[in-house]
Amino acid sequence: MKLSIGLINVLLTGALAHAVKRQEAVPFCAEGDPGNISQGPYASVQDCLDVCYMRETVGDRFGQICRGHCDGIAIIGGFTSWLCDTNDQFV
């Protein structure tokens, strides 16, 4: 009995994990609302991409989750700071 419950648990967990959308599957924002997310600055583009999600405010996807765009801002000294932006108007 314990073996069958354990097996069912593993199968259900695997099915649920497969159903979760991957980060790449979320489309970019046409015009997103950052809401209460911190828009940066971030030290690396990956740090920015990990948290740069918003809600769409225009179009067919209104109200759905979308990915923001991470824009690099050059800082004196050759460093780049990354900001989570609502659209790609500066890219």
Side-chain angles (χ1 to χ4, degrees), residues 2 5 12 16-17 23 27 32-33 37 40 45 49 58 60-61 63 66 68-70 72 81 83 85 87 90:
K2 286 183 181 182
I5 291 174
L12 285 176
L16 289 174
Q23 183 177 12
D33 176 18
I37 69 165
V45 69
L49 290 172
V58 297
D60 296 339
R61 301 196 69 251
C66 59
H69 300 269
C70 291
S81 183
L83 299 173
D85 194 13
N87 59 34
F90 300 112

Side-chain angles (χ1 to χ4, degrees), residues 37-75:
I37 69 165
S38 170
Q39 290 182 275
Y42 299 99
S44 72
V45 69
Q46 190 58 49
D47 290 344
C48 180
L49 290 172
D50 288 344
V51 297
C52 194
Y53 289 91
M54 307 176 187
R55 294 230 178 250
E56 189 65 74
T57 58
V58 297
D60 296 339
R61 301 196 69 251
F62 181 84
Q64 295 182 12
I65 298 292
C66 59
R67 286 184 358 185
H69 300 269
C70 291
D71 294 328
I73 307 296
I75 299 176

